[in-house]
Every structure is written in structure tokens, then in C-alpha cells.
Amino acid sequence: ASPCASGLCGMYSAALSCREQRALIRFKTTLMNTLMDVLRRRPGWVEVKDEGEWDFYWCDVSWLRENFDHTYMDEHVRISHFRNHYELTRKNYMVKNLKRFRKQLEREAGKAEAAKCDFFPKTFEMPCEYHLFVEEFRKNPGITWIMKPVARSQGKGIFLFRKLKDIMDWRKGTASKKLPSLEAQPARANTNLSSSHDTRCSDDQKDELPVENYVAQRYIENPYLIGGRKFDLRVYVLVMSYIPLRAWLYRDGFARFSNTRFTLTSIDDHYVHLTNVAVQKTSPDYHPKKGCKWMLQRFRQYLASKHGPEAVERLFRDIDNIFIKSLQSVQKVIISDKHCFELYGYDILIDQDLKPWLLEVNASPSLTASSQEDYELKTCLLEDTLHVVDMEARLTGREKRVGGFDLMWNDGPVSREEGPPDLSGNSVTNTHLGCINDRKKQLRQLFRSLQMQKKISS
């Protein structure tokens, strides 16, 4: 058993036996990694293969696109994605939704509230916004831009550039290529997509051969460096519902470092600029046991020692704001279905001014471990995700914390129960990103309390 699971299985089994048990929970997944280990070890869960009926399916997005609309689900059934999750997880749609939401906030609540959405770099969809991009490019000559395919992951297809000639070469090179990603054309699966996205291109682009969609994004040239190396943060957010919005934040995550010291003189070196583990592990001097990760607790302590606790609290409040505003930006366009939940992997970059930037949101964050420490984190993350999803029907629905997850939004901000208000007199949001994660102790107390409530009520 994993370090997270040991000692808890007996408690879960006892909790299962102390209530009106649901029949064995039949699960299905195609992912052969940490997730499969966690599912197979869970008491009362049994694996279903091939076409057998299931209660819980951790599916991939291609299955979702092809089967969701044709699958009948009983009340208790749960599935690991929302129907049109790509509204937040495709880079171009995420930016369109954020821009639209920012305009809405400015109309309804004023410029100060709208400014809380200024956490993503200036971005243009290519090739549709090519002419707008060129206009912006010529206003700011000499700065660095980054090109990213909208529907690929793990650093594939990304490049940096400073000359318009590079983008012209890209346009010529990508014409007539087919879209390679499984998730590349969600519009086929959702006929209502046109209502939330203007997919029209300029007249001179309509007659061209299909081009893979990219975003051109202003590159953050002043990233915060540790040991001279660039990094970003991977943080996990679990959304159980969009209407009303109910979102949980996991306490643990990690900083992913590049393997090479940062410099802007070499913009072609992916080992300098891309922190994806899939990229870094191909570096000649990559150390498989050490990897390129720091746990968030270590990162938070490092920042506190350098900048003081107040600056760190401010930074992490700004990161919390990114989670909430990005989820609110898609709240009205995501198809909220009671059968669905989503474990998002947020990628956050911090600059030298301690300002956080949202790079992207992943619908299928990697659950394959790159080290023993990584395996332990992902095992605990997945166990706690299953606790919150609660197939066993043990929770009351009033919990503010379950294991390493803290409820940060429940149709409005959730406040911490303990501790005084902040300096402005506001209650402090119930988030503890990068703080101590005493999940085992909390789970013991939680399930013991639930057992006591069960006994009293019966």
C-alpha cells in the first residue's frame, strides 16, 4: 500500500460497514498509472473491463467526445470530465472566455474589479487574429513572443520568436497540415459552440488550406528565478459543480524547474524556457531520481525566507484569485452535469515582481510519477479526490475540508473557521496552498466524526 493509504484502509472499511452500504462500486479507466494503483486499492471498489457496466469512469477526453451524448447514467454515476471542458482547457478558448468575462466585470462592477482578471499575458489566436497580432507586434519591436498550439500538451509544437519573419515561416510551414490532436476540433462534438466563440477568420484567410490553430502570447521576460533557473507551479483544483460553482483547492503541488540556467540570449533552447517534465527529462543532464521539482511547501518556505510572510500571503491570495476568476469566466458556458467532476491542473508562472500569471489549465494533468516523492503526492491527491467525489455516500455535504482538499468556493467564497480577519477586516478565504498537509490526521477525525453522527442518528 502507498504511504498515504496505509493505516487508513481499515478506517474506510469500518466507515463502509457502519452505514447502509451501496453495492460494490464498479470502476473503469484506461489510464495505467498512479490512478490505477489508487482505484485498485480502494476498499469496496472493483474493476470493470471491456463493456461491463460501471459506476465510476475516469475517462479520457476522446471517449467523452465520442460517447457522452449517447450514454445513459444513473443518479449515482460519476465521470471525470465535464462535457465541454475545453472551454477552459484549450488555450484559445480560455483566453476568449477570460477577455469576455473581464469586459462583463468592467460593465457591471467597474475597472478595479475587472483589473483582477489581468493575470494572463496579451494573447492572439492564430491564424484568425493574425492582423491584430501584427499590429501589436509592430507597436513593441524587440520583445519576445511565444507560439503554442491550442490543443497540444507537454510542450509539443511550442517556439519563441522576435521577428515577424519567423511567424511568416510558421504560416507557410503549417498550411495544409491536419490538426493532430484528439481534442483539436471540439466544435464537431458541440453544435452550440458558435454561440460562445466567434470562429470567423479574415477574408484573406478563408480560402487557405487548414492551419493548426495556435496562440501567440507575449512571453514573460522577467520570470522569478531560483538558482538562476525558470520554473512554473502546478496546482490542482477540483470542481464538483459549475451551477452552483463548487471548487476545492489541493494543499500540495509542485514547482517544475528547467534544467538549464535562464537566459534571453538563446530563445531556441527549450531546456531553458519550457518547464514541462516531458521536455526536461530529455535533457542530457536530467537526473531521474532528483527530477526538477520542488514541493509547494518547500517553495512557500523559500519565498517567505526571501521576501517575508506578508509578501507571500499576498502572492498566494493573487493565485487564489486566478482560480476563482478563471472558473467564473466559464461558469455560464460549461455544461454543468451532476454526473461530472473535473480535476484541473493549473500552470502558474511568477515574475520578479511576485505577480502570478496563468499559463494554461489542463483537463488531464499528468498522473504518471517522475519520482518517489511525486508518486506519493499524486497518490494522496487521487485518494482525496475520490473522498470528495464520495461514491460511498459518507459525507454530509457541509465539509470545508476533506484530506488535502479545502473548499474554497461554494456559490461564494468560503471563509476559514479559525483565525482572525485580515488587516482590512475581511474574513480569510479557506485556502492553504503550500501549507502543512496533515491529511491523514484530518481524515481520521473526519471519518470518526461521521461514524459518531451515524450512530447518534440511528
Side-chain angles (χ1 to χ4, degrees):
S2 74
C4 298
S6 58
L8 292 173
C9 287
M11 179 178 62
Y12 302 152
S13 300
L16 280 167
S17 64
C18 284
R19 60 175 185 78
E20 293 177 14
Q21 290 189 14
R22 185 175 282 156
L24 284 177
I25 294 160
R26 301 161 297 179
F27 75 85
K28 186 174 180 179
T29 186
T30 54
L31 303 177
M32 299 300 294
N33 52 30
T34 312
L35 175 67
M36 183 63 86
D37 294 346
V38 169
L39 290 169
R40 284 176 172 166
R41 280 197 297 256
R42 196 163 180 85
W45 288 49
V46 59
E47 186 177 359
V48 170
K49 296 184 179 177
D50 302 323
E51 298 305 310
E53 289 190 14
W54 43 268
D55 307 300
F56 178 94
Y57 189 9
W58 197 293
C59 66
D60 58 40
V61 293
S62 59
W63 182 94
L64 189 82
R65 189 173 61 248
E66 292 161 16
N67 298 282
F68 187 94
D69 293 337
H70 318 293
T71 303
Y72 170 77
M73 298 184 205
D74 286 330
E75 181 80 16
H76 71 283
V77 166
R78 294 292 178 269
I79 194 165
S80 64
H81 293 291
F82 286 93
R83 177 67 189 81
N84 57 337
H85 62 87
Y86 45 76
E87 294 283 355
L88 183 61
T89 58
R90 270 186 60 149
K91 301 173 188 73
N92 54 339
Y93 292 174
M94 178 189 84
V95 170
K96 280 184 179 179
N97 282 313
L98 282 167
K99 285 178 179 176
R100 177 184 45 74
F101 185 61
R102 192 193 188 288
K103 286 178 184 173
Q104 178 191 328
L105 282 178
E106 191 165 340
R107 284 195 312 270
E108 296 174 0
K111 289 187 176 180
E113 190 64 27
K116 293 179 182 177
C117 288
D118 292 341
F119 50 71
F120 59 98
K122 193 171 281 288
T123 305
F124 298 90
E125 184 174 357
M126 308 290 269
C128 289
E129 295 181 330
Y130 176 73
H131 296 299
L132 290 172
F133 163 72
V134 170
E135 195 178 312
E136 181 68 26
F137 183 92
R138 287 178 173 149
K139 280 186 204 168
N140 299 280
I143 68 166
T144 310
W145 292 81
I146 185 167
M147 284 283 283
K148 304 175 183 178
V150 299
R152 288 201 258 175
S153 59
Q154 300 184 327
K156 295 186 184 87
I158 293 177
F159 64 93
L160 278 65
F161 67 97
R162 293 194 187 113
K163 297 176 182 173
L164 213 48
K165 175 185 176 296
D166 296 333
I167 207 90
M168 296 301 292
D169 291 345
W170 166 80
R171 287 187 86 200
K172 291 171 190 169
T174 55
S176 82
K177 285 186 181 177
K178 302 279 187 188
L179 288 165
S181 170
L182 286 171
E183 200 190 348
Q185 288 178 301
R188 292 177 182 172
N190 181 9
T191 54
N192 295 324
L193 195 61
S194 58
S195 63
S196 60
H197 295 297
D198 182 2
T199 56
R200 293 171 296 179
C201 290
S202 58
D203 289 340
D204 66 335
Q205 290 163 352
K206 286 179 180 174
D207 297 327
E208 291 182 4
L209 291 168
V211 175
E212 180 178 2
N213 284 356
Y214 267 64
V215 290
Q217 198 167 67
R218 188 163 179 165
Y219 186 65
I220 308 297
E221 296 184 317
N222 64 332
Y224 192 97
L225 305 178
I226 296 179
R229 295 184 301 158
K230 180 183 172 182
F231 64 92
D232 68 0
L233 306 181
R234 165 56 61 85
V235 184
Y236 298 98
V237 173
L238 176 62
V239 175
M240 294 302 297
S241 164
Y242 271 99
I243 302 175
L245 182 59
R246 186 173 172 84
W248 300 74
L249 177 63
Y250 203 63
R251 294 187 173 201
D252 291 333
F254 47 84
R256 305 180 297 186
F257 286 85
S258 66
N259 212 44
T260 309
R261 290 177 71 84
F262 182 78
T263 174
L264 280 171
T265 57
S266 172
I267 62 170
D268 296 326
D269 189 342
H270 279 191
Y271 298 132
V272 171
H273 300 285
L274 303 185
T275 57
N276 311 64
V277 175
V279 172
Q280 292 298 325
K281 70 182 181 184
T282 64
S283 170
D285 51 351
Y286 178 78
H287 196 300
K289 287 190 177 174
K290 278 172 64 178
C292 294
K293 292 181 179 178
W294 272 15
M295 293 299 110
L296 273 184
Q297 199 174 330
R298 180 183 177 187
F299 170 70
R300 186 166 185 149
Q301 288 168 350
Y302 174 87
L303 285 186
S305 69
K306 288 276 186 182
H307 305 280
E310 284 186 18
V312 173
E313 283 294 333
R314 198 158 46 246
L315 166 64
F316 277 77
R317 274 201 307 274
D318 289 344
I319 294 174
D320 291 344
N321 172 67
I322 289 178
F323 304 138
I324 298 303
K325 291 291 188 290
S326 61
L327 293 173
Q328 288 178 325
S329 77
V330 296
Q331 190 177 2
K332 291 181 179 176
V333 293
I334 292 275
I335 301 166
S336 190
D337 188 306
K338 64 186 177 186
H339 299 103
C340 303
F341 68 93
E342 192 102 36
L343 180 65
Y344 293 110
Y346 274 74
D347 292 345
I348 309 284
L349 180 78
I350 295 165
D351 69 18
Q352 289 172 359
D353 301 320
L354 292 186
K355 174 181 170 64
W357 297 87
L358 175 60
L359 299 181
E360 63 179 294
V361 184
N362 296 273
S364 302
S366 171
L367 300 175
T368 301
S370 59
S371 67
Q372 182 59 32
E373 191 175 33
D374 197 33
Y375 181 80
E376 290 172 14
L377 182 153
K378 286 173 178 171
T379 298
C380 297
L381 166 73
L382 289 167
E383 286 177 354
D384 291 346
T385 298
L386 298 181
H387 295 329
V388 175
V389 173
D390 193 29
M391 293 298 296
E392 297 90 349
R394 293 176 294 195
L395 303 181
T396 64
R398 297 186 297 274
E399 291 80 7
K400 282 189 176 182
R401 183 182 175 193
V402 177
F405 275 110
D406 297 292
L407 184 63
M408 66 173 167
W409 195 268
N410 188 19
D411 204 22
V414 180
S415 302
R416 292 185 194 178
E417 290 170 353
E418 76 287 349
D422 64 16
L423 296 175
S424 60
N426 297 321
S427 58
V428 181
T429 308
N430 185 43
T431 54
H432 303 266
L433 186 61
C435 297
I436 292 172
N437 185 6
D438 53 342
R439 59 178 294 279
K440 279 204 231 178
K441 178 183 174 185
Q442 195 275 339
L443 287 169
R444 286 194 189 95
Q445 290 173 343
L446 174 64
F447 286 111
R448 195 175 293 127
S449 168
L450 291 170
Q451 284 178 258
M452 291 295 292
Q453 289 176 40
K454 181 80 175 177
K455 285 178 182 175
I456 291 168
S457 63
S458 60

